[in-house]
């Protein structure tokens, strides 16, 4: 996973949680409390942690009036936090200074040349935590170094820099999805390890380190400058199962910085700012949660000697209990997340008596995401549509969510694109490396450009020359791609990324097999399913229908934002054409005029017995599944099929 993909995933996560953040802001305004949007479980865990660590004295808290009805958890927490905020004095500064000593500037060396700088921090006597995109591999880490005390003293005099070589041969663990790298650090010539000199920050697996609305503090080396700290005017905006969104000031070079609560406990590993899709700077920051990193480390397959080195993290870093449930901010409800094989395949649902199963089949770009989080996002979009139709929401637990995002990413790893480093256009950057997938990719762009009435004379410029690694034929695809983007309003990167993954699925048998295997593993074994699919998931759904066990039927198929109307797509399905699946009783297709992925819609022009529903999705969210599901006719159809007796 390259930096471009990491940033795109981050932007998508931020876009997918826009409704959560709007709900958070609404609750904060309505209640007058910055903490009212978090769940009772999170607030209780936070209170317990502050009291148990003696950050506050319960005797100093004023009693809560008993004659005002039930006490909201946020009210109790406000009193706890009010007492805890007394720490913003010398104690706060002293603890911050102690924590900052463990933060280092990472001098990134590649091929003997300085490639840049990042930030890292000690989490053990000889263990440094930073981003995957700062230290992506053993070779880079071997040449790079950690520089401590690159800062000024109390009188503004620069301190002597204390530099240590990294020792990835002793330990190197990395994960591009969470964007973290844990690497061992060598000793100084005098034999001292960095933790002996600068101390280290304890990573804590226990929940309750921060809640929505609390401030965060960041220490790092922005833009390679001496160490700086960002305090105040910062707050936690939202909590996802594996990531945090927060508002604070960071710059390039802050990557790999620790994100602290007010007790100077690490709550996240900062990895990037979220760019404004409109190009107006940065709108938030994102970091990987400590709990997610520790769980990944606990499950990593490492040699015994490296496992032993992880013991430096301490017993408080060992995850205990089930994987944290997803919290839907503002409603106090939680949805479970599977563990083990279920966690890898997706989220299974239950079957209410007398009802069919609902199965959501997601689109591309979901690798590294929590299936329970994705499922909840779909359910929230559907709940809006059901409310508009005067119907109650579905329970998240009644929905199955077979997850293939990681399987798709693994199957295409190393061959997603050719010449990414030399590409000069978006079309080149996203072209698949596999010859079959490359042909499909070119056909998708060309056919979509034709469907949007691009003049043929402009699709293949006469002066196209062989250029670079990819050649003029691929380079010439940028013009039709830009045409499609201009006509739809979607970014050309979004369109190219979707077309690349659709092409990889259709043009490379090994990719298709890996995706279908992952989906089949997360489906019910028998019965009737209401199959709701989106984007690439609609293509997978049509193939899936040819492979379903004999005991499964599909009374309703919903396709949303689908490219199934393109000849380049349906001719390459397992059915070898626009052949309507026999297991499907009713087929509903949702499409939007501004959705460049659904450019071949309506499907009724090509497929037999498809009911097309035109949705007025906002131009900037024309392809979003939540927008499609929020339309009352579509939501009502899903609810009706689900509640019918199977």
């Amino acid at each position: 996973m390259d930096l471009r993909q990491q940033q795109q995933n981050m932007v998508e996560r931020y876009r997918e949680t826009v409704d959560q953040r709007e709900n958070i802001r609404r609750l904060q305004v309505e209640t007058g409390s910055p903490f009212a949007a978090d769940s009772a479980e999170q607030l209780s865990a936070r209170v317990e942690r502050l009291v148990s660590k003696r950050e506050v004295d319960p005797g100093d808290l004023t009693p809560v009036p008993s004659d005002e009805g039930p006490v909201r958890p946020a009210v109790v927490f406000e009193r706890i936090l009010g007492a805890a905020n007394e720490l913003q004095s010398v104690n706060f500064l002293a603890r911050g200074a102690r924590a900052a000593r463990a933060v280092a500037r990472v001098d990134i060396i590649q091929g003997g040349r300085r490639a840049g700088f990042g930030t890292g921090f000690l989490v053990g006597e000889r263990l440094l935590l930073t981003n995957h995109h700062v230290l992506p591999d053993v070779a880079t880490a071997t040449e790079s170094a950690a520089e401590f005390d690159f800062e000024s003293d109390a009188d503004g005099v620069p301190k002597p820099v204390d530099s240590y070589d990294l020792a990835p041969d002793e330990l190197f663990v990395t994960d591009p999805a969470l964007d973290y790298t844990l690497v061992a650090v060598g000793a100084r010539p005098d034999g001292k390890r960095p933790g002996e000199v600068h101390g280290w920050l304890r990573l804590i697996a226990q929940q309750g380190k921060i809640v929505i609305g609390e401030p965060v503090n960041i220490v790092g080396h922005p833009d390679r400058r001496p160490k700086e700290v960002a305090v105040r005017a910062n707050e936690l905006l939202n909590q996802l199962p594996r990531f945090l969104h927060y508002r604070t000031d960071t710059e390039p070079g802050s990557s790999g910085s620790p994100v602290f609560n007010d007790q100077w406990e690490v709550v996240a590993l900062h990895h990037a700012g979220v760019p404004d899709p409109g190009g107006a700077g940065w709108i938030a920051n994102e970091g990987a949660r400590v709990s997610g990193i520790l769980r990944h480390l606990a499950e990593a397959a490492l040699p015994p000697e490296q496992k032993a080195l992880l013991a430096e993290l301490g017993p408080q870093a060992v995850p205990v209990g089930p994987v944290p449930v997803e919290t839907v901010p503002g409603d106090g409800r939680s949805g479970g997340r599977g563990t083990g094989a279920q966690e890898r395949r997706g989220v299974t649902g239950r079957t209410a008596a007398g009802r069919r199963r609902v199965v959501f089949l997601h689109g591309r770009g979901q690798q590294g995401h929590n299936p329970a989080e994705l499922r909840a996002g779909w359910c929230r979009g559907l709940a809006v549509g059901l409310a508009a139709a005067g119907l109650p929401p579905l329970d998240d637990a009644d929905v199955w969510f077979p997850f293939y995002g990681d399987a798709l990413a693994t199957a295409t790893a190393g061959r997603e694109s050719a010449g990414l480093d030399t590409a000069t256009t978006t079309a080149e950057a996203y072209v698949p490396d596999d010859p079959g997938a490359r042909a499909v990719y070119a056909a998708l762009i060309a056919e979509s450009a034709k469907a949007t009435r691009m003049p043929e004379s402009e699709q293949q410029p006469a002066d196209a020359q062989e250029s670079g690694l990819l050649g003029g034929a691929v380079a010439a695809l940028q013009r039709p791609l830009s045409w499609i983007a201009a006509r739809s309003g979607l970014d050309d990167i979004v369109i190219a990324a979707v077309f690349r993954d659709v092409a990889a699925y259709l043009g490379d048998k090994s990719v298709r097999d890996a995706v279908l295997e992952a989906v089949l593993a997360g489906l019910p074994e028998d019965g009737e399913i209401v199959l709701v699919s989106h984007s690439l998931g609609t293509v997978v759904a049509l193939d899936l229908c040819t492979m379903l066990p004999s005991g499964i039927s599909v009374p309703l198929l919903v396709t949303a934002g689908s490219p199934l109307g393109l000849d380049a797509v349906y001719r390459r399905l397992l059915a070898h054409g626009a052949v309507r699946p026999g297991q499907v009783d009713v087929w509903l297709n949702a499409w939007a005029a501004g959705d460049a992925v659904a450019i071949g819609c309506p499907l009724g022009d090509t497929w037999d017995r498809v009911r097309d529903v035109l949705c007025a999705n906002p131009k900037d969210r024309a392809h979003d599944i939540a927008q499609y599901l929020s339309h009352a006719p579509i939501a009502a159809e899903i609810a009706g099929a689900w509640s019918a007796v199977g």
Side-chain angles (χ1 to χ4, degrees), residues 238-468:
N238 197 9
Q239 295 199 63
L240 306 181
R242 303 208 300 173
F243 294 92
L244 299 180
H245 288 148
Y246 41 91
R247 181 183 296 111
T248 188
D249 292 327
T250 57
E251 297 178 27
S254 295
S255 296
S257 298
V259 182
F260 297 100
N261 61 17
D262 264 357
Q263 289 69 52
W264 296 99
E265 296 171 325
V266 183
V267 298
L269 169 68
H270 174 73
H271 78 130
V274 181
D276 186 341
W282 306 90
I283 52 180
N285 284 285
E286 182 181 87
R289 293 179 68 166
V290 165
S291 55
I293 293 173
L294 291 176
R295 284 195 174 274
H296 188 274
L297 282 169
E299 297 169 359
L302 299 174
E305 62 274 14
Q306 294 195 12
K307 276 285 189 182
L309 192 55
L310 286 181
E312 284 191 10
L313 294 172
Q316 83 292 332
V318 178
V320 178
V323 176
V325 298
E326 188 210 357
T327 299
V328 181
D331 65 4
R333 297 171 52 221
S334 298
R337 178 184 175 189
T339 59
Q342 277 190 8
E343 183 178 333
R344 292 189 297 272
R345 293 196 302 259
V347 180
T348 57
R350 68 189 178 204
T351 303
R355 286 179 176 146
R356 297 158 170 162
R357 287 119 160 151
V358 174
V359 176
F360 289 156
L361 194 53
H362 65 81
R364 62 154 306 275
Q366 305 306 320
Q367 62 270 21
H369 289 200
N370 178 1
E373 174 195 338
L374 297 174
R375 177 182 68 170
W378 283 52
C379 288
R380 283 192 293 273
L382 182 60
V384 174
L386 291 172
L391 298 170
L394 269 69
D395 189 332
D396 292 17
D398 289 325
V399 176
W400 293 60
F401 198 90
F403 181 68
Y404 66 86
D406 291 342
L408 175 63
T410 300
T412 57
R415 47 183 171 165
E416 284 187 347
S417 58
L420 182 61
D421 295 336
T422 59
T424 58
T425 67
T426 301
E428 290 178 304
Y430 283 88
V431 63
D433 189 35
D434 179 83
R438 182 187 292 221
V440 180
Y441 176 80
L444 287 171
I445 293 178
E447 189 176 348
S448 297
K450 183 177 180 181
T452 52
R453 297 181 175 83
M454 181 179 185
E456 291 187 15
S457 59
E458 295 187 30
Q459 293 188 39
Q460 293 292 338
D463 59 350
Q465 302 289 328
E466 290 293 319
S467 60

Side-chain angles (χ1 to χ4, degrees), residues 108-112 135-144 166 168-169 172:
I108 307 167
I109 307 296
Q110 293 178 327
L135 296 176
D137 48 53
V138 169
T140 302
T142 300
E143 296 186 89
S144 301
L166 303 182
D169 55 319
F172 185 86

